[in-house]
Amino acid sequence: MRAVVLVGGFGTRLRPLTLDIPKPLLPVANVRLLGHVLAALGSAGVTEAVLAIGFKPEPFFEAFPEGVCAGVKLVYAVEPEPMDTAGAIGFAARFAGIDDTFIVVNGDILTDVDYAALVTFHRERGLEGTIHLIPVDDVTQFGVVESDETSRVTRFVEKPQPHETTSRYVNAGTYVLEPSVLARIPEGKPLSIERVVFPEMVADGQLAARPSDDYWVDTGRPETYLKANLDLIDGTRSLILASVAAQAHIHATAVVTHSVVGDSCTVGEGAIVVDSVLLPGSHVGAGAKVERSLVMGRVNAGASVTACVIGKDGMVEAGAQLTDVKIP
Ligand code: GTP
């Protein structure tokens, strides 16, 4: 089976980290986000993934010189201009010549959903598309889905106010689609699957939904990217990864707690790192304190950062005390 993986977004909410590395290539517990996604798809029987790339394809070519990630063969579909979600799916599926049932995933979602079970469910319902749903407390930031007792979607409303719907189930960013859906996506122009194509499929009675309460996180915001990292080291998920990369340099007197430390990081004498992610190559100076933060650049000696995002070119001056800021 083939999958289209959407990796072409700008990742604005994760800036400044995404100024240097596209979101799908950022490490989550020292494994690239895309590696996690493709490993899960591969174990569900996906043998080929078409990466729908909207801009900056070079980092992807460099990251996977053999054209393989987590054992899954890669096809690169590079859009001439960003096509939005449906436009990107159409472009990628046509580019790869997809002519059979296929999976679509947002490349920034980490989930333990059973993709194979989703495909089986889709085939049983026999509609043009099936969408994976998860329950959330606050629906206002999501595409909310209402469905009937036969699992047919009756309404799809993007980012509603709380009083506009009674459903708590939202679009989880994984779909199973028939190739006939491509006829709904005109070639060569940007189009949103959430705002245009899904509502049209609902109107035609052609969209099914399968809820599950599997582990699910959209890694696209600093807080959720941090959570995705920590969930992989602290036993929240069935998979537990090592939190410190083999090539990290942590001083014997530094204290690193509930944090992920990447390759070639340095953590100086007496430094404290708590509930944080130090991305590869970052530096925490002697006596510095890093709490609930994402660090790609430098936190110099004696500085203290809390709930901050420090990009590759970001530098926190020695002794500075920062809370809730992004640098640069
Ligand atoms: P923000 O800029 O922080 O909103 O992140 P984003 O650009 O990734 O946007 P969002 O999270 O809403 O996108 C959902 C999924 O669609 C992600 O996997 C994106 O990579 C992908 N995506 C969004 N727009 C495009 C596009 O124009 N082309 C392609 N190929 N993928 C896209």
Side-chain angles (χ1 to χ4, degrees):
M1 169 162 262
R2 290 193 275 182
V4 170
V5 184
L6 294 173
V7 294
F10 290 105
T12 40
R13 291 163 300 162
L14 265 187
R15 285 180 187 165
L17 304 183
T18 46
L19 295 176
D20 291 282
I21 303 178
K23 184 164 53 175
L25 299 181
L26 282 175
V28 180
N30 290 323
V31 175
R32 287 189 190 94
L33 175 53
L34 193 59
H36 290 286
V37 173
L38 292 191
L41 286 169
S43 54
V46 169
T47 51
E48 184 177 292
V50 188
L51 298 189
I53 304 178
F55 75 122
K56 274 220 283 198
E58 297 79 10
F60 292 91
F61 303 157
E62 283 161 21
F64 310 107
E66 312 289 325
V68 176
C69 173
V72 177
K73 180 174 176 286
L74 300 176
V75 173
Y76 299 106
V78 184
E79 294 149 37
E81 57 181 341
M83 302 289 281
D84 205 343
T85 44
I89 293 167
F91 180 85
R94 289 184 185 109
F95 180 85
I98 288 180
D99 55 3
D100 202 355
T101 309
F102 63 108
I103 299 176
V104 176
V105 298
N106 282 1
D108 40 15
I109 301 293
L110 278 185
T111 177
D112 289 338
V113 69
D114 184 341
Y115 293 106
L118 195 65
V119 172
T120 303
F121 178 93
H122 168 79
R123 294 209 158 108
E124 286 166 3
R125 291 299 173 286
L127 303 182
E128 273 189 86
T130 298
I131 176 169
H132 173 223
L133 308 181
I134 50 127
V136 296
D137 293 330
D138 174 14
V139 295
T140 57
Q141 296 307 311
F142 296 94
V144 178
V145 176
E146 297 173 7
S147 49
D148 66 17
E149 60 288 347
T150 67
S151 307
R152 201 180 290 255
V153 178
T154 52
R155 187 161 171 247
F156 196 99
V157 41
E158 190 67 13
K159 301 196 172 85
Q161 291 303 305
H163 65 269
E164 287 182 87
T165 179
T166 53
S167 171
R168 288 293 165 264
Y169 284 97
V170 303
N171 175 4
T174 299
Y175 323 123
V176 184
L177 301 179
E178 290 305 310
S180 62
V181 170
L182 299 177
R184 298 175 178 274
I185 304 172
E187 278 185 59
K189 64 171 199 180
L191 188 72
S192 163
I193 194 137
E194 301 87 347
R195 289 186 170 77
V196 181
V197 179
F198 283 155
E200 286 177 10
M201 290 170 72
V202 171
D204 295 343
Q206 283 297 332
L207 191 62
R210 182 174 198 262
S212 84
D213 57 4
D214 295 300
Y215 177 87
W216 184 91
V217 61
D218 174 350
T219 62
R221 289 183 286 124
E223 316 81 83
T224 55
Y225 173 66
L226 178 60
K227 175 176 160 45
N229 274 269
L230 301 183
D231 286 348
L232 272 166
I233 62 167
D234 65 12
T236 302
R237 301 179 63 183
S238 49
L239 180 67
I240 302 180
L241 296 181
S243 58
V244 178
Q247 300 302 320
H249 306 282
I250 300 178
H251 194 276
T253 59
V255 178
V256 176
T257 314
H258 195 226
S259 296
V260 172
V261 182
D263 263 341
S264 311
C265 290
T266 49
V267 180
E269 183 177 355
I272 298 174
V273 179
V274 187
D275 297 337
S276 295
V277 177
L278 305 183
L279 288 124
S282 58
H283 168 78
V284 177
K289 183 170 182 196
V290 174
E291 202 176 345
R292 284 185 287 118
S293 295
L294 306 166
V295 181
M296 208 180 239
R298 299 179 66 84
V299 177
N300 284 339
S304 161
V305 298
T306 305
C308 291
V309 184
I310 314 296
K312 188 156 179 279
D313 299 326
M315 202 253 289
V316 179
E317 303 281 352
Q321 303 214 341
L322 302 177
T323 300
D324 207 11
V325 292
K326 297 183 177 187
I327 301 178

